[in-house]
Amino acid sequence: MGLLEEITKSKKELPESVLTLSQEEMEMRVKEIKKKLGTKLFIPGHHYQKDEVIQFADTVGDSLQLAQVSARNTEAEYIVFCGVHFMAETADILTKENQHVILPDMRAGCSMADMADIYQTEKAWRKLGELFGDTIIPLTYVNSTAAIKAFVGENGGATVTSSNAHKMVKWALGEKERILFLPDQHLGRNTAADLGIPLSEMGIWDPIKNELQFEGELEKVKVILWKGHCSVHENFTVKNIEQVRKNYPEMNIIVHPECTREVVEKSDLNGSTKYIIETISNAPSGSSWAIGTEMNLVQRIIAQHKDKHIISLNPYMCPCLTMNRIDLPHLLWSLENIVNNNFQNVIKVDRQVAENAVHALDRMLIRV
Ligand code: 13P
Ligand code: SF4
């Protein structure tokens, strides 16, 4: 079944037997099933998930941590992944054949991952090869399809996450003269700029026009940024920063590197989800913070640090709508299906694709 069919089908899937339950009844049922399945069941949850879901996660982490725990877990038969589609694919690639990865709602995609498909990538690679010969190594943010990870693996490259992007870009530039960074231009640009690469040595690959956007001598190009972005993190703006600086001059501003270069430059600190959590945890009581990342995480950090003054950098909060597709009813429905041997939304990456993608993931996992 194609992804579109899966998505259309999953819209109608929740049965009345789940939808008519109260929140307490659903929570009780999830607890019962977790107890019954014991270590046969494993529920990883990304930091951006809702509280109603995260309360049942066996482990909570950022993309890198969740990839690492998936790779280590050999015991669970069912991995019910509370995150988005590319994370569930990564878990399937890194786990054994007899382990089944389930995504509670197939609509939990990632708009950034959708901004690069394998056909565009192969077309881009051919054209870039004509321009630069064999001087490019591909790196892909884990927020990408399994097919792109496989392409990157086949071409000697690696995956990166926001926690290890500096390390991986440095490694890649030791391998080849230039990198193609997919699909998040902002993480690529922010990382390369931190490593001292001037913006004048970064080009942009436009996958719609199938062309490289760069002014100057081609020889100068060190980093080719795929023209993709996160629609959640692009909602944090320079104007938001100016407002915070005006209203709360003492406030520290910390943002995720999926934000634009201008926002990152004007912030005090930037780093991965894990970095943001640790920085706020280690900050002195009474300190004040504006955070530029996904809403569920910001709200959780606010609730956990009542001794600090914390706000979202954007007053409208910026939820990731696709992450929010995973809710308590979908989690319960997935677990009921397991108990009833009626598996739905199983994420199974094609074997050949998985074999190539694992090279890209392994090149990252051995370096972190
Ligand atoms: P990290 O979990 O790597 O911080 O990435 C954030 C994100 O946008 C996940 O989709
Ligand atoms: Fe994708 Fe952005 Fe949502 Fe992360 S926050 S899943 S990158 S759309």
Side-chain angles (χ1 to χ4, degrees), residues 198-230:
L199 295 180
S200 59
E201 294 181 10
M202 299 184 209
I204 295 176
W205 180 264
D206 184 330
I208 308 293
K209 295 188 180 148
N210 196 42
E211 69 178 24
L212 179 71
Q213 296 169 348
F214 181 74
E215 280 169 22
E217 278 171 58
L218 276 189
E219 253 318 292
K220 286 242 166 75
V221 175
K222 270 226 111 19
V223 176
I224 301 155
L225 302 163
W226 191 271
K227 198 174 178 183
H229 64 266
C230 165

mmCIF file of all heavy atoms in Angstrom, residues 198-230:
data_model
loop_
_atom_site.group_PDB
_atom_site.id
_atom_site.type_symbol
_atom_site.label_atom_id
_atom_site.label_comp_id
_atom_site.label_asym_id
_atom_site.label_seq_id
_atom_site.Cartn_x
_atom_site.Cartn_y
_atom_site.Cartn_z
ATOM 1 N N PRO A 198 32.860 30.676 5.567
ATOM 2 C CA PRO A 198 32.093 31.903 5.296
ATOM 3 C C PRO A 198 30.863 31.621 4.425
ATOM 4 O O PRO A 198 30.871 30.676 3.629
ATOM 5 C CB PRO A 198 33.095 32.791 4.546
ATOM 6 C CG PRO A 198 34.227 31.920 4.154
ATOM 7 C CD PRO A 198 34.180 30.653 4.943
ATOM 8 N N LEU A 199 29.832 32.454 4.607
ATOM 9 C CA LEU A 199 28.600 32.274 3.822
ATOM 10 C C LEU A 199 28.900 32.353 2.327
ATOM 11 O O LEU A 199 28.210 31.740 1.509
ATOM 12 C CB LEU A 199 27.566 33.337 4.209
ATOM 13 C CG LEU A 199 27.031 33.275 5.648
ATOM 14 C CD1 LEU A 199 26.010 34.379 5.890
ATOM 15 C CD2 LEU A 199 26.420 31.920 5.986
ATOM 16 N N SER A 200 29.961 33.092 1.975
ATOM 17 C CA SER A 200 30.314 33.243 0.552
ATOM 18 C C SER A 200 30.826 31.933 -0.055
ATOM 19 O O SER A 200 31.016 31.834 -1.251
ATOM 20 C CB SER A 200 31.373 34.337 0.387
ATOM 21 O OG SER A 200 32.526 33.979 1.151
ATOM 22 N N GLU A 201 31.053 30.911 0.799
ATOM 23 C CA GLU A 201 31.484 29.605 0.265
ATOM 24 C C GLU A 201 30.362 28.582 0.332
ATOM 25 O O GLU A 201 30.581 27.375 0.238
ATOM 26 C CB GLU A 201 32.727 29.114 1.026
ATOM 27 C CG GLU A 201 33.919 30.010 0.758
ATOM 28 C CD GLU A 201 35.197 29.571 1.463
ATOM 29 O OE1 GLU A 201 35.237 28.459 2.017
ATOM 30 O OE2 GLU A 201 36.149 30.372 1.447
ATOM 31 N N MET A 202 29.127 29.070 0.562
ATOM 32 C CA MET A 202 27.983 28.155 0.631
ATOM 33 C C MET A 202 27.017 28.446 -0.509
ATOM 34 O O MET A 202 26.604 29.594 -0.697
ATOM 35 C CB MET A 202 27.251 28.326 1.966
ATOM 36 C CG MET A 202 28.126 28.019 3.173
ATOM 37 S SD MET A 202 27.144 28.121 4.676
ATOM 38 C CE MET A 202 28.408 28.605 5.863
ATOM 39 N N GLY A 203 26.672 27.411 -1.247
ATOM 40 C CA GLY A 203 25.675 27.545 -2.312
ATOM 41 C C GLY A 203 24.378 26.895 -1.860
ATOM 42 O O GLY A 203 24.341 26.170 -0.853
ATOM 43 N N ILE A 204 23.315 27.176 -2.589
ATOM 44 C CA ILE A 204 22.015 26.564 -2.256
ATOM 45 C C ILE A 204 21.568 25.724 -3.445
ATOM 46 O O ILE A 204 21.610 26.192 -4.605
ATOM 47 C CB ILE A 204 20.962 27.655 -1.965
ATOM 48 C CG1 ILE A 204 21.354 28.430 -0.711
ATOM 49 C CG2 ILE A 204 19.566 27.037 -1.781
ATOM 50 C CD1 ILE A 204 20.449 29.596 -0.386
ATOM 51 N N TRP A 205 21.189 24.488 -3.171
ATOM 52 C CA TRP A 205 20.627 23.651 -4.230
ATOM 53 C C TRP A 205 19.113 23.772 -4.187
ATOM 54 O O TRP A 205 18.484 23.442 -3.180
ATOM 55 C CB TRP A 205 21.035 22.181 -4.077
ATOM 56 C CG TRP A 205 20.426 21.395 -5.201
ATOM 57 C CD1 TRP A 205 19.277 20.696 -5.176
ATOM 58 C CD2 TRP A 205 20.923 21.335 -6.543
ATOM 59 N NE1 TRP A 205 19.000 20.188 -6.427
ATOM 60 C CE2 TRP A 205 20.001 20.566 -7.284
ATOM 61 C CE3 TRP A 205 22.037 21.871 -7.195
ATOM 62 C CZ2 TRP A 205 20.173 20.297 -8.643
ATOM 63 C CZ3 TRP A 205 22.206 21.598 -8.553
ATOM 64 C CH2 TRP A 205 21.293 20.817 -9.263
ATOM 65 N N ASP A 206 18.526 24.268 -5.287
ATOM 66 C CA ASP A 206 17.066 24.385 -5.365
ATOM 67 C C ASP A 206 16.524 23.135 -6.064
ATOM 68 O O ASP A 206 16.718 22.973 -7.280
ATOM 69 C CB ASP A 206 16.702 25.660 -6.144
ATOM 70 C CG ASP A 206 15.194 25.886 -6.162
ATOM 71 O OD1 ASP A 206 14.439 24.896 -6.112
ATOM 72 O OD2 ASP A 206 14.778 27.063 -6.238
ATOM 73 N N PRO A 207 15.841 22.254 -5.317
ATOM 74 C CA PRO A 207 15.394 20.995 -5.923
ATOM 75 C C PRO A 207 14.210 21.170 -6.874
ATOM 76 O O PRO A 207 13.943 20.300 -7.688
ATOM 77 C CB PRO A 207 14.974 20.151 -4.707
ATOM 78 C CG PRO A 207 14.663 21.135 -3.633
ATOM 79 C CD PRO A 207 15.490 22.359 -3.895
ATOM 80 N N ILE A 208 13.512 22.293 -6.774
ATOM 81 C CA ILE A 208 12.378 22.507 -7.678
ATOM 82 C C ILE A 208 12.912 22.969 -9.044
ATOM 83 O O ILE A 208 12.549 22.446 -10.087
ATOM 84 C CB ILE A 208 11.385 23.570 -7.103
ATOM 85 C CG1 ILE A 208 10.978 23.218 -5.659
ATOM 86 C CG2 ILE A 208 10.171 23.748 -8.008
ATOM 87 C CD1 ILE A 208 10.146 21.971 -5.481
ATOM 88 N N LYS A 209 13.849 23.917 -9.005
ATOM 89 C CA LYS A 209 14.425 24.404 -10.269
ATOM 90 C C LYS A 209 15.556 23.508 -10.759
ATOM 91 O O LYS A 209 16.064 23.682 -11.855
ATOM 92 C CB LYS A 209 14.962 25.828 -10.076
ATOM 93 C CG LYS A 209 13.869 26.835 -9.780
ATOM 94 C CD LYS A 209 14.439 28.245 -9.792
ATOM 95 C CE LYS A 209 13.353 29.252 -9.503
ATOM 96 N NZ LYS A 209 13.842 30.415 -8.783
ATOM 97 N N ASN A 210 15.982 22.568 -9.895
ATOM 98 C CA ASN A 210 17.098 21.674 -10.209
ATOM 99 C C ASN A 210 18.337 22.480 -10.603
ATOM 100 O O ASN A 210 18.964 22.253 -11.638
ATOM 101 C CB ASN A 210 16.691 20.699 -11.329
ATOM 102 C CG ASN A 210 17.651 19.532 -11.428
ATOM 103 O OD1 ASN A 210 18.074 18.971 -10.409
ATOM 104 N ND2 ASN A 210 18.028 19.150 -12.641
ATOM 105 N N GLU A 211 18.680 23.447 -9.743
ATOM 106 C CA GLU A 211 19.847 24.284 -10.061
ATOM 107 C C GLU A 211 20.571 24.730 -8.793
ATOM 108 O O GLU A 211 19.981 24.803 -7.701
ATOM 109 C CB GLU A 211 19.425 25.514 -10.890
ATOM 110 C CG GLU A 211 18.609 26.500 -10.086
ATOM 111 C CD GLU A 211 18.219 27.747 -10.858
ATOM 112 O OE1 GLU A 211 18.157 27.698 -12.097
ATOM 113 O OE2 GLU A 211 17.950 28.777 -10.184
ATOM 114 N N LEU A 212 21.862 25.000 -8.996
ATOM 115 C CA LEU A 212 22.686 25.505 -7.897
ATOM 116 C C LEU A 212 22.621 27.025 -7.895
ATOM 117 O O LEU A 212 22.841 27.661 -8.936
ATOM 118 C CB LEU A 212 24.142 25.043 -8.087
ATOM 119 C CG LEU A 212 25.114 25.520 -7.026
ATOM 120 C CD1 LEU A 212 24.857 24.820 -5.693
ATOM 121 C CD2 LEU A 212 26.559 25.278 -7.462
ATOM 122 N N GLN A 213 22.326 27.600 -6.719
ATOM 123 C CA GLN A 213 22.305 29.058 -6.624
ATOM 124 C C GLN A 213 23.574 29.490 -5.906
ATOM 125 O O GLN A 213 23.761 29.164 -4.722
ATOM 126 C CB GLN A 213 21.043 29.504 -5.875
ATOM 127 C CG GLN A 213 19.799 29.122 -6.661
ATOM 128 C CD GLN A 213 18.502 29.272 -5.899
ATOM 129 O OE1 GLN A 213 18.498 29.462 -4.679
ATOM 130 N NE2 GLN A 213 17.400 29.165 -6.612
ATOM 131 N N PHE A 214 24.446 30.140 -6.668
ATOM 132 C CA PHE A 214 25.728 30.559 -6.101
ATOM 133 C C PHE A 214 26.299 31.669 -6.963
ATOM 134 O O PHE A 214 26.318 31.564 -8.191
ATOM 135 C CB PHE A 214 26.710 29.380 -6.067
ATOM 136 C CG PHE A 214 28.040 29.741 -5.469
ATOM 137 C CD1 PHE A 214 28.171 29.921 -4.095
ATOM 138 C CD2 PHE A 214 29.156 29.928 -6.284
ATOM 139 C CE1 PHE A 214 29.392 30.288 -3.541
ATOM 140 C CE2 PHE A 214 30.387 30.277 -5.735
ATOM 141 C CZ PHE A 214 30.499 30.454 -4.359
ATOM 142 N N GLU A 215 26.752 32.716 -6.293
ATOM 143 C CA GLU A 215 27.369 33.789 -7.060
ATOM 144 C C GLU A 215 28.858 33.772 -6.805
ATOM 145 O O GLU A 215 29.285 33.787 -5.655
ATOM 146 C CB GLU A 215 26.794 35.147 -6.631
ATOM 147 C CG GLU A 215 25.444 35.402 -7.268
ATOM 148 C CD GLU A 215 24.726 36.590 -6.668
ATOM 149 O OE1 GLU A 215 25.392 37.464 -6.082
ATOM 150 O OE2 GLU A 215 23.488 36.617 -6.785
ATOM 151 N N GLY A 216 29.645 33.722 -7.859
ATOM 152 C CA GLY A 216 31.101 33.702 -7.694
ATOM 153 C C GLY A 216 31.698 32.506 -8.413
ATOM 154 O O GLY A 216 31.015 31.813 -9.168
ATOM 155 N N GLU A 217 32.979 32.281 -8.153
ATOM 156 C CA GLU A 217 33.665 31.166 -8.827
ATOM 157 C C GLU A 217 33.244 29.852 -8.202
ATOM 158 O O GLU A 217 33.348 29.694 -6.972
ATOM 159 C CB GLU A 217 35.173 31.304 -8.604
ATOM 160 C CG GLU A 217 35.875 32.241 -9.529
ATOM 161 C CD GLU A 217 37.314 32.426 -9.040
ATOM 162 O OE1 GLU A 217 38.022 31.406 -8.936
ATOM 163 O OE2 GLU A 217 37.674 33.569 -8.731
ATOM 164 N N LEU A 218 32.845 28.885 -9.024
ATOM 165 C CA LEU A 218 32.359 27.592 -8.515
ATOM 166 C C LEU A 218 33.382 26.897 -7.614
ATOM 167 O O LEU A 218 33.029 26.219 -6.660
ATOM 168 C CB LEU A 218 32.018 26.669 -9.681
ATOM 169 C CG LEU A 218 30.633 26.831 -10.290
ATOM 170 C CD1 LEU A 218 30.361 25.716 -11.283
ATOM 171 C CD2 LEU A 218 29.548 26.852 -9.227
ATOM 172 N N GLU A 219 34.655 27.079 -7.960
ATOM 173 C CA GLU A 219 35.735 26.432 -7.187
ATOM 174 C C GLU A 219 35.659 26.748 -5.687
ATOM 175 O O GLU A 219 36.094 26.002 -4.832
ATOM 176 C CB GLU A 219 37.086 26.910 -7.738
ATOM 177 C CG GLU A 219 37.843 25.870 -8.548
ATOM 178 C CD GLU A 219 37.802 24.468 -7.931
ATOM 179 O OE1 GLU A 219 38.398 24.298 -6.862
ATOM 180 O OE2 GLU A 219 37.156 23.565 -8.506
ATOM 181 N N LYS A 220 35.065 27.923 -5.386
ATOM 182 C CA LYS A 220 34.996 28.397 -3.989
ATOM 183 C C LYS A 220 33.976 27.621 -3.147
ATOM 184 O O LYS A 220 34.030 27.659 -1.917
ATOM 185 C CB LYS A 220 34.582 29.884 -3.985
ATOM 186 C CG LYS A 220 35.668 30.828 -4.420
ATOM 187 C CD LYS A 220 36.005 31.784 -3.276
ATOM 188 C CE LYS A 220 37.290 32.532 -3.474
ATOM 189 N NZ LYS A 220 37.158 33.613 -4.457
ATOM 190 N N VAL A 221 33.024 26.940 -3.820
ATOM 191 C CA VAL A 221 31.924 26.298 -3.081
ATOM 192 C C VAL A 221 32.445 25.184 -2.178
ATOM 193 O O VAL A 221 33.119 24.261 -2.628
ATOM 194 C CB VAL A 221 30.871 25.702 -4.050
ATOM 195 C CG1 VAL A 221 29.799 24.940 -3.277
ATOM 196 C CG2 VAL A 221 30.252 26.792 -4.885
ATOM 197 N N LYS A 222 32.146 25.288 -0.874
ATOM 198 C CA LYS A 222 32.554 24.250 0.093
ATOM 199 C C LYS A 222 31.343 23.474 0.579
ATOM 200 O O LYS A 222 31.411 22.293 0.891
ATOM 201 C CB LYS A 222 33.204 24.909 1.323
ATOM 202 C CG LYS A 222 34.680 25.091 1.194
ATOM 203 C CD LYS A 222 35.500 24.682 2.379
ATOM 204 C CE LYS A 222 36.428 23.544 2.483
ATOM 205 N NZ LYS A 222 36.979 22.873 1.394
ATOM 206 N N VAL A 223 30.214 24.189 0.693
ATOM 207 C CA VAL A 223 29.009 23.572 1.251
ATOM 208 C C VAL A 223 27.832 23.846 0.321
ATOM 209 O O VAL A 223 27.591 24.998 -0.059
ATOM 210 C CB VAL A 223 28.714 24.167 2.661
ATOM 211 C CG1 VAL A 223 27.416 23.615 3.213
ATOM 212 C CG2 VAL A 223 29.870 23.880 3.610
ATOM 213 N N ILE A 224 27.131 22.772 -0.052
ATOM 214 C CA ILE A 224 25.937 22.930 -0.894
ATOM 215 C C ILE A 224 24.730 22.589 -0.014
ATOM 216 O O ILE A 224 24.610 21.461 0.473
ATOM 217 C CB ILE A 224 25.999 22.005 -2.126
ATOM 218 C CG1 ILE A 224 27.260 22.327 -2.944
ATOM 219 C CG2 ILE A 224 24.738 22.129 -2.977
ATOM 220 C CD1 ILE A 224 27.758 21.186 -3.791
ATOM 221 N N LEU A 225 23.905 23.591 0.222
ATOM 222 C CA LEU A 225 22.780 23.436 1.155
ATOM 223 C C LEU A 225 21.501 23.132 0.381
ATOM 224 O O LEU A 225 21.106 23.914 -0.495
ATOM 225 C CB LEU A 225 22.580 24.738 1.938
ATOM 226 C CG LEU A 225 23.793 25.223 2.736
ATOM 227 C CD1 LEU A 225 23.633 26.693 3.106
ATOM 228 C CD2 LEU A 225 23.973 24.366 3.983
ATOM 229 N N TRP A 226 20.884 22.018 0.702
ATOM 230 C CA TRP A 226 19.593 21.688 0.090
ATOM 231 C C TRP A 226 18.563 22.700 0.577
ATOM 232 O O TRP A 226 18.533 23.033 1.771
ATOM 233 C CB TRP A 226 19.175 20.277 0.511
ATOM 234 C CG TRP A 226 18.016 19.731 -0.250
ATOM 235 C CD1 TRP A 226 16.699 19.879 0.061
ATOM 236 C CD2 TRP A 226 18.061 18.942 -1.439
ATOM 237 N NE1 TRP A 226 15.920 19.227 -0.855
ATOM 238 C CE2 TRP A 226 16.741 18.640 -1.797
ATOM 239 C CE3 TRP A 226 19.105 18.447 -2.242
ATOM 240 C CZ2 TRP A 226 16.411 17.876 -2.907
ATOM 241 C CZ3 TRP A 226 18.782 17.678 -3.358
ATOM 242 C CH2 TRP A 226 17.452 17.402 -3.670
ATOM 243 N N LYS A 227 17.715 23.176 -0.350
ATOM 244 C CA LYS A 227 16.785 24.248 0.029
ATOM 245 C C LYS A 227 15.542 23.688 0.741
ATOM 246 O O LYS A 227 14.435 23.679 0.209
ATOM 247 C CB LYS A 227 16.368 25.037 -1.212
ATOM 248 C CG LYS A 227 15.786 26.379 -0.917
ATOM 249 C CD LYS A 227 15.548 27.141 -2.201
ATOM 250 C CE LYS A 227 14.922 28.487 -1.916
ATOM 251 N NZ LYS A 227 14.626 29.182 -3.150
ATOM 252 N N GLY A 228 15.741 23.182 1.951
ATOM 253 C CA GLY A 228 14.633 22.684 2.765
ATOM 254 C C GLY A 228 14.693 23.373 4.117
ATOM 255 O O GLY A 228 15.698 24.003 4.457
ATOM 256 N N HIS A 229 13.616 23.263 4.864
ATOM 257 C CA HIS A 229 13.598 23.904 6.192
ATOM 258 C C HIS A 229 12.538 23.260 7.073
ATOM 259 O O HIS A 229 11.684 22.525 6.594
ATOM 260 C CB HIS A 229 13.294 25.404 6.038
ATOM 261 C CG HIS A 229 11.931 25.667 5.475
ATOM 262 N ND1 HIS A 229 11.697 25.861 4.131
ATOM 263 C CD2 HIS A 229 10.720 25.739 6.074
ATOM 264 C CE1 HIS A 229 10.406 26.043 3.931
ATOM 265 N NE2 HIS A 229 9.787 25.970 5.093
ATOM 266 N N CYS A 230 12.587 23.572 8.350
ATOM 267 C CA CYS A 230 11.558 23.103 9.281
ATOM 268 C C CYS A 230 10.507 24.211 9.401
ATOM 269 O O CYS A 230 10.831 25.337 9.785
ATOM 270 C CB CYS A 230 12.176 22.811 10.648
ATOM 271 S SG CYS A 230 10.912 22.642 11.929
#
